[in-house]
Amino acid sequence: MAAMGELLAGARAGLPFALPTFVVGVSFGALAYELGWGAIAPVAASIVVFSASAQFAVASVLAAGGSPGAAVAAAALVNGRYLPMGLAVARWLRGGRLRRALEAQAVVDASWALANRGDGRFDRAVLLGATLPQFPAWVAGTAAGVAAGSAIGDIDRLGLDVVIPAFFLVLLGGELATRRGRAVAALGALIAVLLVPATPAGVPIVAASGAALLGLVARP
Amino acid sequence: MSLWLTLAAVALVSAILKAAGPALVASRGLSPSTQVVFAHLPPALLAALIAVQTFADADERLVVDARALGLAAAAAALTLRAPALLAVALAATVTALTRMLL
């Protein structure tokens, strides 16, 4: 394990994501409850799946009358981004295959983005530690959403749904220092935007990984 | 019951997707060009996440709405070297105000 102090520093780095994660959790809890999941299943989903995008994908497929298989497939596509994300962090986790596979369970979008140090380096303590505040925030938010139900109204009016992409924008800033970084980011965004209307959710982000091949192009 | 099985399957698939990269890729033995490509994944994926969370609506359509204005405000603030938390707060405020007015 990373030293406790390093993990705590990683946890501190993750604190800004706790509130927006709680808020998204409230939306998920309220939605799942309204869809008839009961009180326990939404919270259990947040504990064992711990992925907002995959859980919303499951909820929307089932709500539209899709089969369980279709729901699982949609969630798998949405979480397909964990393949390239896992490849990027693989060498920064420790131990044998099993240990690295277990450590990788702590990696989510926010901890991955926060731990990125540029040039392909990742801070392992942040990868693992930044999720410490986010996980309870996600589960507690879901429970609060279940409890409040539709009483919370439209929380999107507070604009909190842009907090997470805005943080990602901050974290992307460091990558834009070089011309290469700007080109890769621009191509990644372009691929994703072009594919949004044409492919199932999740595919645009996985496909945007292709922009990383620009790294092989000789420097101008 | 089928809801619980679905959730269990989703949890399993997610765990496998998270584990795959780190379990398959050894710490050493990556070719230099593979390492270069992996090193460029963060800007590609971060930019894609931002783009999708800003421009895709719940029905997978491309839209330019209050979120885009909020993110543009944050981008402008960051360009002017505003602190991160200020830029994020600005994004939320601009998005909320836009929704209130429209």
Side-chain angles (χ1 to χ4, degrees), chain A residues 37 41 44-45 48-49 58 62 68 72 75-76 79 82-87 90 93 97 100-101 104-105 107-108 112-113 116 119-120 122 156-159 161-170 175 180 184-185 192-193 196-197 201 205 208-209 212 215-216, chain B residues 2-4 6-7 9-11 13-15 17-27 30 33 35-56 60-62 67 71 74-75 78 84-85 87-88 91-92 95-96 99:
Chain A
W37 286 28
V48 300
V49 180
V58 169
L62 294 181
V72 175
N79 273 355
Y82 282 125
L83 276 176
M85 287 166 60
L87 290 173
L93 300 174
R97 291 174 196 279
R100 289 206 304 274
Q105 301 306 314
V107 178
V108 292
W112 188 85
N116 174 35
D119 293 328
F122 281 85
D156 275 358
R157 71 181 187 279
L158 300 175
D161 52 328
V162 296
V163 166
I164 288 174
F167 269 118
F168 288 159
L169 191 64
V170 171
E175 296 284 348
R180 178 74 56 93
V184 172
V193 163
V196 161
I205 292 172
S209 308
L216 295 175
Chain B
S2 81
L3 173 64
W4 288 93
T6 305
L7 294 176
V10 169
V13 169
S14 296
L17 287 167
K18 282 187 176 186
L24 297 176
V25 173
S27 309
L30 289 179
S33 52
Q35 286 190 25
V36 166
V37 173
F38 286 1
H40 286 85
L41 283 171
L45 288 169
L46 269 179
L49 278 172
I50 296 164
V52 169
Q53 291 177 7
T54 305
F55 296 112
E60 297 300 313
R61 283 174 310 212
L62 284 179
R67 294 171 299 170
L71 266 290
L78 291 170
L85 284 178
V88 171
T95 302
R99 285 183 181 143

Side-chain angles (χ1 to χ4, degrees), chain A residues 181-197:
Chain A
R182 290 193 292 272
V184 172
L187 183 59
L190 182 68
I191 292 172
V193 163
L194 289 178
L195 289 181
V196 161

Side-chain angles (χ1 to χ4, degrees), chain A residues 37-144:
Chain A
W37 286 28
I40 308 293
V43 180
S46 286
I47 293 172
V48 300
V49 180
F50 184 35
S51 166
S53 49
Q55 290 171 231
F56 275 109
V58 169
S60 69
V61 170
L62 294 181
S67 68
V72 175
L77 281 177
V78 163
N79 273 355
R81 69 183 184 284
Y82 282 125
L83 276 176
M85 287 166 60
L87 290 173
V89 301
R91 46 194 286 254
W92 303 98
L93 300 174
R94 283 197 202 138
R97 291 174 196 279
L98 181 63
R99 164 103 179 257
R100 289 206 304 274
L102 288 176
E103 288 192 352
Q105 301 306 314
V107 178
V108 292
D109 293 344
S111 66
W112 188 85
L114 285 165
N116 174 35
R117 290 291 173 268
D119 293 328
R121 289 170 298 126
F122 281 85
D123 183 326
R124 178 175 169 276
V126 177
L127 274 176
L128 306 183
T131 302
L132 290 175
Q134 215 186 357
F135 181 72
W138 176 236
V139 176
T142 307

